């Protein structure tokens, strides 16, 4: 799967160095696989949850961090919408939070 905004992943590894290895592991796993639907993604990333028809939430570093991405399985593409601690995640509306250019 193609990750459209790679720079945002790098930004988050610098902002949250405690999660760097796990976030990069997620990144590599996504690049190495082709997912046709959420069920195929769930088989590889068991801690993922679908929020709506495009948004998926991943638990990173156990359940310490959350990563919200928008996926387009038909185009084999996804982009990062939001990343933060579980505590920060509890304060957002995952269905409406918008992607922000850094």
């Amino acid at each position: 799967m193609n990750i459209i905004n790679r720079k945002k992943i790098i930004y988050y590894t610098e902002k949250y160095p405690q999660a760097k290895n796990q976030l990069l592991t997620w990144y590599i796993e996504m690049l190495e696989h082709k997912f046709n639907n959420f069920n195929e993604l769930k088989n590889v990333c068991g801690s993922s949850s679908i929020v709506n028809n495009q948004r998926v939430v991943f638990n990173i570093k156990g359940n310490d961090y959350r990563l919200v991405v928008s996926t387009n399985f038909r185009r084999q593409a996804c982009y990062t919408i939001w990343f933060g601690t579980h505590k920060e995640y509890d304060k957002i509306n995952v269905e409406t939070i918008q992607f922000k250019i850094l």
Side-chain angles (χ1 to χ4, degrees), residues 11-78:
Y11 167 79
Y12 285 132
T13 63
E14 293 169 357
K15 183 175 179 181
Y16 299 97
Q18 313 87 326
K20 179 178 181 175
N21 290 339
Q22 292 82 1
L23 190 55
L24 292 176
T25 298
W26 170 86
Y27 176 78
I28 291 167
E29 283 182 352
M30 293 299 285
L31 289 177
E32 291 177 346
H33 289 87
K34 211 175 168 184
F35 304 108
N36 295 309
N37 55 52
F38 176 73
N39 291 332
E40 290 180 7
L41 186 146
K42 181 82 170 169
N43 285 336
V44 174
C45 302
S47 67
S48 60
S49 303
I50 193 161
V51 175
N52 59 30
N53 63 349
Q54 289 187 327
R55 290 193 180 195
V56 177
V57 177
F58 295 89
N59 293 333
I60 304 293
K61 195 177 181 228
N63 202 15
D64 294 344
Y65 296 88
R66 296 284 178 96
L67 172 66
V68 179
V69 301
S70 178
T71 57
N72 186 322
F73 294 109
R74 189 177 47 178
R75 293 182 187 239
Q76 289 298 302
C78 71

